[in-house]
């Protein structure tokens, strides 16, 4: 016999009178956080208090629990109403929005900045997205290096001989740019390393927010980026938004002024000695190991320094944080876990629940209550998205572990603009000017009921599925930083972890992904693997060739303490990266032998 309970249909209406306290079927009050929210684009920040209140009242009546302010480019013909970002007038409008939202039982989040990603006029050329500039020069035997170099902008100048000798020339650059170097014993190759702005500026910036995107591989850039916000809020005494927000990773950055020093500190050797391997297009193992160390360093800088600066600033100023880590070349799980609310998204044609589970996994493992989702971006063309389209997408999000839906979205539009009002190009048009608005409350009520349950419970997945990102980072080839994104699926589906995740999903096993760093916090109690966010029955390691020795050591310790650890098909074969390779390999092989022999 199979029994089904359709609780969503059986539950009382959200606006119904409260049931008696002893009623076992009474539905608890729905909070603003449990209702769906909407991205609210402020075009040119040309908002006024009358229309803000009117729009918020309409949103509240439709069952929205909050809005998320994102200032973007302005509407033509309304230039005289534009408000400069973070000006006293802008802060006043933000405060009015928050106070009116609170009056209506709603809440407000805001993007730290305008458009996306982080950046603006405070970002200098040194702080901007940076692309590495690599030039090589051949110096025949007995000849001198003839080129001139800028001593201030040249970060490394290194000569390599045919027989493997390495000579650093950076400190030899004279005031006039000449370098005293003569090649001996064959033709030497000299590598000159500098950087330049990648050209990536804030997308869809609002007035006052235009400028370079910051460099997420350069922590000092985040310090400079936050200074205007510190000033703006230091002089602000009104009500604040609930959260600060960081949109999806769309930076173009692979270098920074301090990268060589950061690399040496983290990896234990000078990257300057391995420039031919780093920039090699050959598929050899040595180059792959150097690239892996480079990629790991980039990921660590972002997850351990740059992003935490923003999180700490937000907490110090009374905000929580929402972050979209996808698109980043780093370890998504570590980046998502840095913030209070990891946020994912899905598009209409490249949806994969297993990719969106990276955000919810980070939340579950770290013990964060909420996982949000940018929902409804580019489902169809304007005014053609149906409530059914949005409902099916919301269901996919719930299956992925999301419990905090944000419609993408609602463009602020004054009534005097008429129909169809101000429209944002990527929007589903979740606004009062859309014909579906009449029935939006029904969808919002459904989502609120689902989220009230999902937010009140705790995740109880059985499996921790290890993400062997070092295998991905050990790829040789031309790209310094292979991208991982929600807008393409092959990076997951073509990897062993993707196939394992799909197999588990198809067979009904519940799981959360886990990173190397997160595994380092694991403990074992009563045979279960205990993470900050919950307990798991088993750790599954998909097929992988490479694994950090620290991770393998941790897995062995967990198994010895009573945890169940399953390696799919075979054990990893080697340690990843180049740093301390011989010593790590020896430890790695001893651990593998101990696993095989049961010692």
């Amino acid at each position: 016999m199979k029994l089904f309970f359709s609780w969503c249909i059986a539950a009382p209406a959200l606006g119904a009178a409260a049931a008696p306290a002893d009623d076992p079927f009474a539905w608890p009050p729905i909070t603003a956080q449990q209702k769906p929210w909407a991205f609210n684009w402020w075009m040119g920040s040309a908002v006024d208090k009358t229309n803000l209140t009117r729009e918020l009242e309409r949103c509240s009546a439709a069952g929205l629990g909050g809005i998320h302010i994102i200032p973007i480019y302005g509407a033509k013909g309304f230039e005289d109403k534009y408000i400069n970002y973070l000006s006293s007038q802008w802060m006043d409008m933000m405060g009015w929005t928050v106070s009116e939202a609170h009056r209506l039982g709603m809440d407000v989040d805001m993007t730290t900045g305008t458009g996306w990603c982080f950046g603006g006029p405070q970002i200098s050329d040194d702080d901007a997205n940076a692309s590495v500039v690599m030039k090589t020069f051949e110096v025949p035997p007995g000849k001198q290096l003839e080129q001139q170099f800028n001593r201030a902008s040249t970060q490394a100048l290194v000569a390599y001989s045919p027989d493997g000798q390495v000579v650093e020339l950076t400190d030899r650059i004279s005031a006039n740019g000449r370098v005293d170097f003569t090649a001996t014993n064959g033709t030497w190759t000299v590598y000159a390393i500098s950087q330049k702005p990648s050209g990536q500026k804030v997308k869809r910036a609002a007035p006052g927010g235009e400028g370079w995107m910051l460099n997420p591989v350069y922590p000092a850039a985040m310090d400079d980026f936050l200074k205007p916000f510190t000033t703006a809020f230091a002089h602000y005494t009104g009500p604040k938004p609930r959260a600060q927000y960081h949109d999806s990773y769309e930076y173009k950055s692979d270098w920074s002024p301090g990268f060589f020093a950061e690399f040496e500190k983290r990896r234990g050797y000078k990257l300057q000695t391995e420039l031919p391997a780093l920039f090699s297009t050959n598929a050899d193992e040595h180059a792959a190991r150097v690239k892996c160390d480079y990629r790991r360093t980039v990921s660590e800088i972002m997850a351990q320094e740059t992003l935490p600066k923003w999180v700490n600033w937000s907490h110090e100023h009374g905000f929580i944080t929402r972050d979209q880590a996808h698109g980043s070349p780093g370890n998504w799980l570590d980046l998502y876990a840095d913030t209070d609310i990891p946020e994912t998204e899905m598009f209409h044609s490249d949806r994969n629940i297993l990719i969106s589970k990276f955000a919810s996994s980070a939340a579950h493992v770290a013990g964060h209550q909420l996982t949000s989702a940018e929902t409804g971006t580019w489902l169809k063309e304007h005014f053609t998205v149906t409530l059914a389209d949005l409902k099916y997408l919301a269901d996919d999000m719930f299956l992925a572990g999301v419990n905090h839906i944000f419609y993408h979205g609602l463009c602020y539009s004054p009534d005097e603009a008429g129909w169809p009002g101000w429209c944002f190009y990527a929007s589903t048009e979740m606004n009062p000017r859309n014909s579906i608005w009449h029935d939006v409350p029904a969808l919002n009520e459904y989502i609120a009921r689902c989220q009230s349950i999902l937010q009140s419970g705790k995740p109880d997945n059985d499996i921790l599925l290890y993400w062997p990102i070092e295998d991905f980072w050990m790829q040789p080839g031309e790209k310094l930083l292979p991208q991982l994104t929600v807008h393409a699926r092959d990076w997951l589906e073509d990897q062993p972890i993707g196939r394992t995740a799909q197999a588990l999903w198809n067979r009904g096993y519940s799981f959360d992904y886990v990173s190397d760093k997160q595994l380092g916090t694991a403990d074992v109690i009563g045979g279960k693997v205990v993470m900050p966010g919950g307990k798991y029955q088993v750790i599954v390691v998909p097929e992988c060739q490479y694994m950090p020795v620290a991770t393998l050591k941790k897995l062995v310790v967990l198994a010895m303490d009573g945890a169940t650890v399953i390696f799919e098909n075979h054990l990893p074969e080697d340690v990843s990266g180049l740093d301390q390779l011989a010593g790590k390999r020896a430890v790695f092989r001893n651990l593998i032998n101990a696993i095989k022999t049961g010692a």
Side-chain angles (χ1 to χ4, degrees):
M1 178 183 293
K2 294 183 178 180
L3 299 176
F4 298 91
F5 179 47
S6 184
W7 55 266
C8 284
I9 297 175
L14 291 178
D22 58 351
D23 183 353
F25 295 102
W27 200 271
I30 300 294
T31 67
Q33 189 167 268
Q34 292 166 344
K35 297 177 183 179
W37 291 33
F39 285 74
N40 187 205
W41 291 282
W42 286 9
M43 300 190 75
S45 296
V47 297
D48 64 76
K49 293 181 178 180
T50 299
N51 280 295
L52 281 171
T53 294
R54 185 182 294 128
E55 293 239 317
L56 286 168
E57 288 174 343
R58 290 166 177 165
C59 290
S60 176
L64 289 177
I67 62 164
H68 167 182
I69 299 170
I70 308 180
I72 57 169
Y73 53 79
K76 290 183 178 180
F78 290 83
E79 288 82 1
D80 61 330
K81 296 184 181 297
Y82 290 176
I83 301 174
N84 211 47
Y85 185 59
L86 293 186
S87 65
S88 58
Q89 185 183 5
W90 193 94
M91 298 295 288
D92 181 51
M93 290 300 172
M94 181 204 70
W96 177 264
T97 303
V98 176
S99 62
E100 285 293 274
H102 288 173
R103 177 180 66 81
L104 296 166
M106 301 171 67
D107 215 331
V108 176
D109 288 357
M110 67 175 282
T111 294
T112 314
T114 75
W116 64 92
C117 301
F118 283 179
Q122 68 270 42
I123 298 301
S124 66
D125 286 0
D126 286 341
D127 288 339
N129 277 240
S131 296
V132 65
V133 177
M134 183 273 294
K135 296 181 180 180
T136 59
F137 308 93
E138 300 295 319
V139 184
K143 299 292 184 180
Q144 282 195 324
L145 180 60
E146 297 179 351
Q147 286 76 16
Q148 290 180 283
F149 303 90
N150 185 318
R151 189 164 62 178
S153 62
T154 303
Q155 297 179 13
L157 189 68
V158 188
Y160 300 84
S161 73
D163 58 359
Q165 294 181 65
V166 181
V167 178
E168 274 213 60
L169 305 174
T170 316
D171 292 338
R172 299 190 193 180
I173 303 174
S174 64
N176 64 6
R178 306 294 298 182
V179 179
D180 182 15
F181 173 75
T182 302
T184 58
N185 303 322
T187 298
W188 289 55
T189 302
V190 175
Y191 280 70
I193 305 299
S194 59
Q195 68 178 59
K196 65 178 180 180
S198 67
Q200 193 79 322
K201 294 188 175 182
V202 175
K203 296 182 179 180
R204 322 304 184 248
E210 305 92 339
W212 293 121
M213 285 187 193
L214 63 75
N215 183 350
V217 190
Y218 188 40
M222 183 64 79
D223 293 327
D224 293 336
F225 168 69
L226 291 171
K227 288 176 181 176
F229 297 93
T230 300
T231 300
F233 281 99
H235 301 289
Y236 174 77
T237 58
K240 294 180 180 180
R242 177 194 69 156
Q244 294 289 327
Y245 174 74
H246 180 216
D247 212 325
S248 54
Y249 187 104
E250 297 181 30
Y251 305 95
K252 290 183 179 178
S253 233
D254 56 28
W255 209 256
S256 74
F259 191 79
F260 280 121
E262 283 282 355
F263 185 93
E264 185 175 0
K265 178 179 71 175
R266 295 172 181 276
R267 303 282 79 87
Y269 68 93
K270 285 180 172 290
L271 185 57
Q272 294 94 316
T273 65
E274 295 290 350
L275 296 177
L278 177 65
F279 295 104
S280 170
T281 59
N282 298 328
D284 63 276
E285 181 184 323
H286 183 82
R289 291 187 178 279
V290 173
K291 283 184 168 65
C292 179
D293 284 345
Y294 160 81
R295 293 160 181 166
R296 186 190 306 157
T297 300
V298 168
S299 181
E300 288 177 359
I301 292 171
M302 293 190 295
Q304 297 174 14
E305 295 193 44
T306 309
L307 193 61
K309 284 178 178 287
W310 168 68
V311 173
N312 293 337
W313 178 91
S314 298
H315 290 171
E316 289 167 2
H317 287 79
F319 307 106
I320 60 173
T321 54
R322 284 173 38 225
D323 176 49
Q324 293 189 355
H326 44 270
S328 164
N331 192 311
W332 286 14
L333 295 173
D334 296 339
L335 290 161
Y336 276 135
D338 277 343
T339 50
D340 301 291
I341 308 177
E343 180 163 302
T344 185
E345 66 177 296
M346 291 184 192
F347 273 44
H348 66 97
S349 60
D350 45 14
R351 284 149 65 169
N352 187 327
I353 290 171
L354 300 181
I355 290 178
S356 288
K357 274 181 68 66
F358 277 84
S360 60
S361 292
H364 296 165
V365 171
H368 301 319
Q369 180 198 13
L370 300 174
T371 303
S372 56
E374 176 186 316
T375 307
T377 314
W378 287 120
L379 285 185
K380 292 179 180 176
E381 289 305 317
H382 289 252
F383 298 102
T384 63
V385 176
T386 67
L387 295 181
D389 294 328
L390 289 167
K391 191 268 184 186
Y392 296 146
L393 178 58
D395 287 342
D396 278 351
M397 293 298 191
F398 294 149
L399 290 172
V402 169
N403 59 8
H404 196 14
I405 293 290
F406 280 78
Y407 293 126
H408 194 278
L410 170 68
C411 191
Y412 166 92
S413 183
D415 273 9
E416 55 266 30
W419 189 91
W422 296 354
C423 298
F424 179 53
Y425 73 93
S427 174
T428 289
E429 303 296 350
M430 181 58 79
N431 63 57
R433 301 174 301 284
N434 194 336
S435 59
I436 64 173
W437 190 257
H438 178 271
D439 296 310
V440 161
L443 174 63
N444 288 344
E445 189 170 334
Y446 166 75
I447 290 175
R449 293 195 187 288
C450 293
Q451 293 190 157
S452 70
I453 295 297
L454 294 172
Q455 290 182 19
S456 338
K458 292 184 178 180
D460 190 26
N461 293 326
D462 296 320
I463 297 170
L464 277 176
L465 180 58
Y466 170 66
W467 185 18
I469 194 170
E470 302 280 336
D471 257 23
F472 190 79
W473 285 343
M474 281 286 292
Q475 296 179 65
E478 295 184 9
K479 285 188 176 181
L480 284 179
L481 288 175
Q483 294 294 109
L484 311 174
T485 174
V486 296
H487 307 315
R489 306 190 300 261
D490 55 346
W491 66 266
L492 177 70
E493 294 173 355
D494 292 350
Q495 295 288 316
I497 184 177
R499 294 189 286 271
T500 301
Q502 190 66 62
L504 291 171
W505 183 265
N506 291 344
R507 289 163 175 78
Y509 290 101
S510 60
F511 63 87
D512 285 321
Y513 302 112
V514 67
S515 72
D516 296 281
K517 179 185 176 183
Q518 291 169 328
L519 267 180
T521 68
D523 202 353
V524 181
I525 298 177
K528 293 186 176 181
V529 181
V530 180
M531 303 299 294
K535 299 178 180 180
Y536 296 82
Q537 303 286 347
V538 62
I539 299 171
V540 171
V541 180
E543 281 189 274
C544 58
Q545 184 176 354
Y546 302 101
M547 179 180 284
V549 67
T551 299
L552 183 61
K553 186 182 297 184
K554 182 66 177 183
L555 291 172
V556 170
V557 169
L558 292 173
M560 292 176 65
D561 288 344
T564 300
V565 180
I566 299 173
F567 291 87
E568 186 179 11
N569 294 332
H570 62 78
L571 294 169
E573 299 169 9
D574 201 354
V575 67
S576 54
L578 184 66
D579 63 309
Q580 304 176 50
L581 181 57
K584 288 183 177 180
R585 262 185 174 159
V587 175
F588 187 92
R589 287 166 180 164
N590 287 338
L591 291 168
I592 292 294
N593 289 334
I595 295 172
K596 290 179 177 179
T597 61

